[in-house]
Amino acid sequence: MNVNDEREYVLLSWKWSYNKDILRFWGTLTDDKEERSYSGYNVDTDSCERYTKQELKERGHLFWEGQKLHELHRDESYAIKLSDLLVLGRKFSVIYI
């Protein structure tokens, strides 16, 4: 599967989490030639969809801007670089708040 390095963003959300303590990531990883997945949720950062900044801007998604997790609005989803998940803590398939 080809995943271009520019596809460095994931969409994270805990809106649909039952206990609100587990971040959910949007979609299922697609090949560069396939249409991006914007449906369904995933707890695995290795198999969730990855997007370019431009793709997310075009769809009007909010971007994480260094806020702490408790500062994020829990009913929203945020675009974040996979590498920035380390800023929030350690990169886990499931991130506990």
Side-chain angles (χ1 to χ4, degrees):
M1 177 178 295
N2 291 326
V3 180
N4 187 305
D5 289 341
E6 291 179 15
R7 290 174 58 191
E8 60 185 339
Y9 287 86
V10 295
L11 285 169
L12 66 83
S13 174
W14 57 91
K15 178 179 181 176
W16 301 112
S17 176
Y18 296 110
N19 63 11
K20 302 286 185 189
D21 290 334
I22 299 172
L23 293 178
R24 304 281 178 167
F25 300 93
W26 286 35
T28 303
L29 189 59
T30 59
D31 188 84
D32 286 341
K33 296 178 185 176
E34 297 176 299
E35 186 175 337
R36 297 293 167 264
S37 173
Y38 287 94
S39 63
Y41 293 94
N42 199 324
V43 295
D44 184 356
T45 57
D46 293 326
S47 61
C48 69
E49 185 63 286
R50 296 184 191 156
Y51 311 90
T52 66
K53 188 172 191 172
Q54 185 62 35
E55 289 170 334
L56 296 170
K57 279 185 172 183
E58 288 173 3
R59 293 181 70 104
H61 286 285
L62 297 172
F63 284 80
W64 178 76
E65 298 174 348
Q67 308 96 311
K68 304 261 190 253
L69 281 175
H70 71 275
E71 296 173 330
L72 299 178
H73 192 279
R74 288 188 176 245
D75 287 333
E76 297 290 345
S77 295
Y78 292 86
I80 185 170
K81 286 183 181 182
L82 273 171
S83 60
D84 285 340
L85 287 174
L86 295 172
V87 173
L88 296 175
R90 289 179 25 202
K91 181 184 168 198
F92 289 104
S93 292
V94 177
I95 297 176
Y96 293 94
I97 302 168

